[in-house]
Amino acid sequence: MLADFEEHGVLILRDFVSLEACKALRQRMQEMVDAFDPGTVRSVFSTTSDAHQADDYFITSGDKIRFFLEAGAFDADGSLRQAKVDSLNKVGHAMHDLDPVFDAFSRTPELAGVADSLGFEQPGIIQSMYIFKPPRIGGEVVCHQDSTYIYTEPESCVGFWFALEDATTENGCMRFIPGAHRAPLRKRNFRNDQGRLVNEILDGTPFDLADTVPAEAPAGTLVVFDGRAPHYSGPNLSDRSRHAYTLHVIDQACHYPANNWLQRSDELPLRGFLP
Ligand code: FE2
């Protein structure tokens, strides 16, 4: 499995978590969504627009639990077109440290074992995201590398992506370019002196989207992928949501730059996979 991960940059582990655990996490998120008032915050997250890069609600969300809506959530009158849970793009970025149910899902001996096998000296879960990919309006995620956003020196970011519902080509599963993680990091995203997020081009080579393969993942699947592995997902035009939960892990032995977008207060120290 390790050789496969190193060759392709991606490893798909079916039945890693139980369907009961997936359901419990979805239920906990539903409770959090029920308590969220979209009238108070109208922050949209879309990878096809840069609006969130200047949005303080997004930029300061690294150690909080915040709600981001889909670009297509509202009708012309400003009302939600679908149920609240089917209007959200994601929730992030510290459920794993602030909510006991998410904490327990995110820290298990099995996950600690995976991180150990991958060679982490001192893994730290730097962020968690709950991705809704709602029916009909779930937006496209353009091709990117996660180390663009979660950058360490040397690079150490690895994504742990859990399918909480079946992810298929119909509802916008992730797609990867096998082996492309061996190519350079294309961009780095960081805070400039004005506190705004900007992208620096490190290598202008475009991603070869003709080479992507779908990573279909039944509920309970864990997809582990290298921080340099280019990936994207198409829009969800189907009638079924595609809920997923992700953790991004860095090695605390590496340098974490102070101008990375994601910063945490000292009251929330970085922790690994052990409960
Ligand atoms: Fe990503």
Side-chain angles (χ1 to χ4, degrees):
M1 285 192 280
L2 206 50
D4 215 48
F5 178 73
E6 278 160 13
E7 185 184 346
H8 297 114
V10 188
L11 187 61
I12 299 176
L13 300 167
R14 289 197 176 202
D15 301 317
F16 191 90
V17 289
S18 70
L19 294 180
E20 294 73 42
C22 293
K23 190 176 172 199
L25 207 68
R26 294 203 318 266
Q27 282 175 345
R28 176 68 190 126
M29 181 46 71
Q30 182 65 54
E31 290 169 15
M32 294 160 93
V33 170
D34 288 344
F36 164 66
D37 177 3
T40 58
V41 178
R42 296 210 159 188
S43 188
V44 163
F45 187 88
S46 165
T47 65
T48 55
S49 139
D50 279 342
H52 65 273
Q53 305 246 50
D55 177 359
D56 195 55
Y57 181 79
F58 175 82
I59 292 173
T60 59
S61 66
D63 51 7
K64 302 185 181 68
I65 300 176
R66 290 190 170 168
F67 297 74
F68 301 95
L69 293 149
E70 281 290 350
F74 300 105
D75 64 18
D77 300 330
S79 308
L80 288 182
R81 294 155 68 171
Q82 307 194 139
K84 222 172 7 172
V85 71
D86 287 337
S87 303
L88 285 158
N89 174 280
K90 67 179 169 187
V91 173
H93 291 89
M95 289 84 76
H96 63 298
D97 283 329
L98 298 173
D99 182 81
V101 177
F102 277 85
D103 184 357
F105 186 98
S106 308
R107 295 186 167 93
T108 63
E110 291 80 11
L111 286 168
V114 174
D116 194 44
S117 299
L118 293 173
F120 277 96
E121 268 179 53
Q122 198 186 348
I125 308 176
I126 188 80
Q127 74 168 14
S128 50
M129 293 190 287
Y130 191 103
I131 316 270
F132 294 84
K133 201 76 159 179
R136 299 171 286 280
I137 61 166
E140 169 193 17
V141 175
V142 298
C143 197
H144 66 281
Q145 296 160 301
D146 289 350
S147 285
T148 289
Y149 306 97
I150 301 170
Y151 181 76
T152 62
E153 293 165 347
E155 287 168 46
S156 63
C157 173
V158 172
F160 287 65
W161 185 100
F162 302 88
L164 302 179
E165 298 180 307
D166 295 345
T168 67
T169 53
E170 281 75 44
N171 65 1
C173 68
M174 278 200 295
R175 289 172 173 269
F176 289 92
I177 307 171
H181 64 298
R182 290 192 291 264
L185 187 65
R186 304 307 205 279
K187 278 194 281 186
R188 186 176 163 226
N189 179 275
F190 60 93
R191 296 178 190 230
N192 66 9
D193 292 342
Q194 287 76 46
R196 193 189 153 90
L197 302 184
V198 292
N199 290 316
E200 179 188 4
I201 305 291
L202 306 176
D203 183 301
T205 314
F207 297 121
D208 197 348
L209 296 179
D211 290 342
T212 65
V213 294
E216 290 198 301
T221 300
L222 168 63
V223 181
V224 183
F225 56 102
D226 190 283
R228 267 206 201 174
H231 56 286
Y232 84 101
S233 63
N236 182 4
L237 305 175
S238 80
D239 291 329
R240 284 192 306 119
S241 57
R242 195 222 70 183
H243 289 198
Y245 178 57
T246 68
L247 299 171
H248 282 91
V249 182
I250 57 163
D251 203 319
Q252 299 183 67
C254 301
H255 173 62
Y256 190 82
N259 66 357
N260 273 1
W261 89 262
L262 198 156
Q263 300 293 335
R264 299 157 65 91
S265 89
D266 293 339
E267 278 109 73
L268 210 60
L270 208 51
R271 293 160 56 214
F273 284 112
L274 292 175

